[in-house]
Each structure stands twice: as structure tokens, then as C-alpha cells.
């Protein structure tokens, strides 16, 4: 298969983790006889530095003319600590999602057997957890009208949803549940918010078309508690933009690190693949950022094009790296930690030589010992 992939490394650790995903995709292309072409463009704080805007026109054009987009991370502390900044890196990501119509953000969360004791949650609570979060991505409070009064003492953000916006992601969530364990949980705040009541109404209507899927509702405050009390009850979680943002960071604790969480953002025409984590500026260029979220986002990209064996190969390689503790410090505190690029090297090597892991393992540790 021929694929043109727009690569938007972005800020902080974005470039270094994205490099590992590209490395891995190149290995897949070689082993499975595909042609992947990567075209790189700026987004976020780096784009503000270079062009004055977080999403330059040429970046958007490149994305719109590519088969898929691989996204790194976005954000810089100089904007976080300046509430009066007129341009912000995050606006680039939001505009990209909106312009490309990426209305569904799918965030798979699972507990890896080898990492069960890395999570602050108890093993018996997280063992076997396998959740798919369907977060609405182009509506709600993120995109409603924003206002600040002239004297700067009053602000508002409008939360708005249309029936159509709810319907299209709801169908995706129910279809996903049909291929999983057959349950959708709608997370909302229908006891307080009008938008949430519309979500309940529309989702309840659509649920009737999927008689093989069980439907369940949870208020978001309760859902936040259930996520750490009994996450095994969840199969597909369907939720609006802001609740999905929050609940997915919380869910990442189950896997042991947010550095493992990948996501796919899809619409009718375009698809973008991005780690759930942010730009982690303190870790930039230190080689300590976990590249697995970016590498697994590349696996989701392959699945999107129905390259299932290829994606599976990446997942097997990732599992192997975790099992052998070829991992960055976020999940590897008790062992020799391995740098971002060495984790990428291992996964790349594994894809080329799946039967030869012991040798790779030794090489990695040898290589590492000369670096530390
Ligand atoms: C995410 C991020 C973004 C969001 C930020 C960077 C705008 O937190 O993808 O979860 O809030 O959607
Ligand atoms: Mg987030």
C-alpha cells in the first residue's frame, strides 16, 4: 500500500517520540512491502515561533492532501503561565481537528499484564481492563463562543451540541461495541446540563437500532470514581469533548503511564493519530519520554487502513519491549532505564527479526551502558 503521511511533531517531547513512530513505520513498510512517504510540517509553539500562528496554512494544506496525519504533542509553558496570550499552541490542534472534521477521538485503555504492579491502582482492580473511550472532539465547550468582559472580570464559554454531532459519534461507539463486549456507557451530567440531556435523548434513540448492545448511563462525577473503583465494568465509553479529555487522562493510570496511551481522531474524510500525552516540556531532549504512545498511535494508523497484521506486529513488539523492561523511566523505575530512541530501536529491530529478541535485548543494554 502507498500512503502519504503528514507528520506534525509539534512541541516538547513531540519530535523525539514521533521519530520513533516513523522508525517503526519504516520497518513495517520494509517488511510488509509498503510505501510510506512522510512529509513534516510545523504546528503549535514551534509554528508560532516560525510563522506567528499555531497552524500555518501550509500545514493544514499538507494534512488535507495526505492520507493520514501523525501528530506529536503541543504546548509550551510560556503560554500556560500567560493567561493573556492572544495566540496559544493548543489553538493549532483544535483548529486542525475542526478544519479536518475529526469528530471522534478513540482512546483505547488497557492494563498490560507485565505492568500490573506499575499502576498506583491495585492489581486485582485493573487486571483485564480493556476500555475504548469514544470522545466527541469537535463540539461542546471547547468550540462554543468564548467571551471576556471589557473590564476583564467576567468570562464565559458556551457549551453547545447539535443532534447531528451526537448522532455521528454515537453510531461509531455502538458499532465498536458490537465488535467488542457489547456495552456502551454514556458519561454525561444530565442531572445538571441541558446538553447532557440532549445526549441522553439522542443516544437512547440510537441505542434501539443496536439491540445486541447494552446501554448504560453514568454521571461524569460518578464515572470518575468508578474508573478507579471498578474499571472492569467499562467496555465502550461514549462522552462529550471535555468529559472525554478528563476521563481519558484518569484512565491512563490503569495502564501504568500516560506515556502508553495512543489515540485515533477520525472524521468522514481524514484521520489523525496522536498520543494522549502532552508535550512534557521538562523532559524535552532528555531521552526519557516514553515513545510507546506514539508507536501505538502508528499501529492505530495501520489498522485504519486495514493493515491488521502490520499493526499486530507493532503490538507484539511493544509487548515484548515491556516484558523485557526495555522501557523509559515512567514505567521502569526498578530496572536500567532505556532511552526514548533505544526503545524505538528495539521495536524496529524486533519487527525486522521477531525471532531474535535475546540478542537485541543484550545489544540494547550494552549500548545503553555506554551512554549512561
Ligand atoms: C488532549 C489534549 C488537548 C485537548 C489539548 C492539548 C488542547 O489535552 O488531546 O487530550 O484538551 O483536547
Ligand atoms: Mg487531554
Amino acid at each position: 500500500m502507498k500512503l502519504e503521511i503528514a507528520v506534525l511533531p509539534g512541541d516538547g517531547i513531540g519530535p523525539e517520540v514521533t521519530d520513533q513512530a516513523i522508525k517503526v513505520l519504516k520497518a513495517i513498510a520494509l517488511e510488509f512491502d509498503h510505501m510510506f512517504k512522510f512529509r513534516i510540517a510545523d504546528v503549535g509553539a514551534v509554528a508560532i515561533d516560525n510563522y506567528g500562528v499555531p497552524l500555518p496554512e501550509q500545514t493544514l494544506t499538507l494534512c488535507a492532501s495526505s492520507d493520514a496525519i501523525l501528530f506529536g504533542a503541543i504546548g509550551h509553558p510560556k503560554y500556560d503561565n500567560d493567561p493573556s496570550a492572544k495566540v496559544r499552541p493548543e489553538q493549532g490542534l483544535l483548529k486542525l481537528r475542526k478544519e479536518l472534521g475529526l469528530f471522534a477521538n478513540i482512546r483505547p485503555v488497557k492494563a498490560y499484564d507485565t505492568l500490573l504492579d506499575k499502576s498506583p491502582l491495585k492489581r486485582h482492580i485493573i487486571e483485564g481492563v480493556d476500555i475504548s473511550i469514544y470522545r466527541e472532539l469537535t463540539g461542546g465547550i471547547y468550540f462554543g463562543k468564548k467571551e471576556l468582559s471589557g473590564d476583564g472580570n467576567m468570562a464565559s464559554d458556551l457549551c453547545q451540541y447539535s443532534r447531528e454531532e451526537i448522532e455521528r459519534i454515537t453510531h461509531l461507539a455502538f458499532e465498536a461495541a458490537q465488535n467488542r463486549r457489547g456495552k456502551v456507557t454514556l458519561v454525561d451530567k444530565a442531572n445538571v446540563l441541558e446538553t447532557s440531556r440532549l445526549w441522553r435523548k439522542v443516544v437512547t434513540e440510537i441505542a434501539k437500532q443496536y439491540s445486541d448492545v447494552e446501554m448504560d448511563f453514568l454521571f461524569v462525577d460518578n464515572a470518575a470514581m468508578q474508573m478507579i473503583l471498578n474499571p472492569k465494568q467499562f467496555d465502550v465509553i461514549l462522552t462529550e469533548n471535555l468529559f472525554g479529555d478528563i476521563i481519558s487522562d484518569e484512565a491512563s493510570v490503569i495502564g501504568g503511564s500516560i506515556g502508553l496511551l495512543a489515540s485515533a481522531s477520525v472524521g468522514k474524510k481524514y484521520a489523525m493519530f496522536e498520543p494522549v500525552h502532552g508535550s512534557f516540556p521538562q523532559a524535552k531532549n532528555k531521552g526519557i519520554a516514553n515513545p510507546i504512545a506514539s508507536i501505538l498511535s502508528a499501529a492505530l494508523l495501520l489498522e485504519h487502513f486495514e493493515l491488521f497484521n502490520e499493526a499486530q506486529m507493532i503490538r507484539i513488539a511493544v509487548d515484548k519491549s515491556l516484558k523485557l523492561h526495555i522501557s523509559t523511566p515512567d514505567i521502569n523505575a526498578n530496572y536500567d532505564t532505556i532511552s526514548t530512541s533505544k526503545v524505538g530501536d528495539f521495536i524496529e529491530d524486533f519487527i525486522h527479526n521477531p525471532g531474535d529478541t535475546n540478542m537485541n535485548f543484550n545489544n540494547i543494554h550494552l549500548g545503553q551502558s555506554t551512554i549512561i
Side-chain angles (χ1 to χ4, degrees), residues 74 90 93 97 107 135 142 245:
I74 211 162
E90 290 78 6
L93 178 56
R97 290 170 177 171
R107 301 187 157 180
R135 167 189 177 194
Y142 272 61
D245 179 46

Side-chain angles (χ1 to χ4, degrees), residues 46-81:
V46 64
I48 300 178
D49 290 345
N50 293 339
Y51 303 92
V53 286
L55 181 65
E57 211 43 54
Q58 58 266 44
T59 299
L60 187 58
T61 311
L62 175 73
C63 293
S65 65
S66 300
D67 297 302
I69 304 146
L70 190 61
F71 191 92
I74 211 162
H76 193 285
K78 72 181 170 200
Y79 300 97
D80 297 343
N81 302 329

